[in-house]
Amino acid sequence: LGDETAPVLLSPMACILGSIWAMGHGTMLVADFMERQVVTLDVGERLDVADAVMRLGRIRHLPVVDQDRLVGVLSQRDLFRAAASSQLELAAEQNRAELARIRVAEVMVPDPVTIAPEDNIRYAADLMLIHRIGCLPVVRGRALVGLLSESDCLRVLTAVLAYREGVADAARGLRLAAS
């Protein structure tokens, strides 16, 4: 991710507080919840590298780029499917050697569904549900600027629920104080 496209980083609490404010005053944006520091793979990389990156970083989705332009997404499921289809009963060392022969471009989902940082979070969640996908690369043009995952959407849900429960608790407290 280039510095010229990366917005100012906010703390998770600032994002949540800003989004709670937006609930009463406007729309919650993808930019408020997306991950801005995204690990990517080059389109020419091999699956053994993708496997290592996913395991070490505990990452389920990796955007695939060609000279900083988004060209696909490789999911953990794509990687498992490629490993299983190459040979089902290989030892771990043999499996790594087999993965080293397969390029990411052969397994990734090309031209993934994407979203812009200024789109609203509900639209993002709808896209994920409709397309049955676990993440949305966030792009400006074709440049990757972030990634919105299912976990990010769950953070939105917890912020909304906490806000609503807080409002309900406050209203309940006012009713008790008035009686």
Side-chain angles (χ1 to χ4, degrees), residues 16 33 44 71 81 83 113 119 122 134 141-142 147 152 155 173 176:
I16 290 170
F33 288 92
V71 295
R81 199 175 6 249
V113 177
D119 285 332
R122 180 170 177 214
R142 294 283 295 190
L147 189 74
D152 298 324
R155 266 203 314 278
L176 289 175

Side-chain angles (χ1 to χ4, degrees), residues 4 10 14-15 31 33 35 47 49 64 69 78 93 105 109 116 134 145 150 153 161 166 174 179:
E4 62 280 347
L10 297 174
C15 290
F33 288 92
E35 178 61 48
L47 287 187
V49 173
V64 181
R69 187 175 61 90
D78 298 329
E93 189 60 40
V109 173
V145 296
E150 292 168 315
C153 290
L161 292 174
L174 289 175
S179 52

Side-chain angles (χ1 to χ4, degrees), residues 16 18-28 156 159-161 163-164:
I16 290 170
S19 293
I20 288 171
W21 175 85
M23 280 183 259
H25 298 88
T27 303
M28 289 188 284
V156 173
V160 169
L161 292 174
Y163 173 79
R164 293 187 78 183

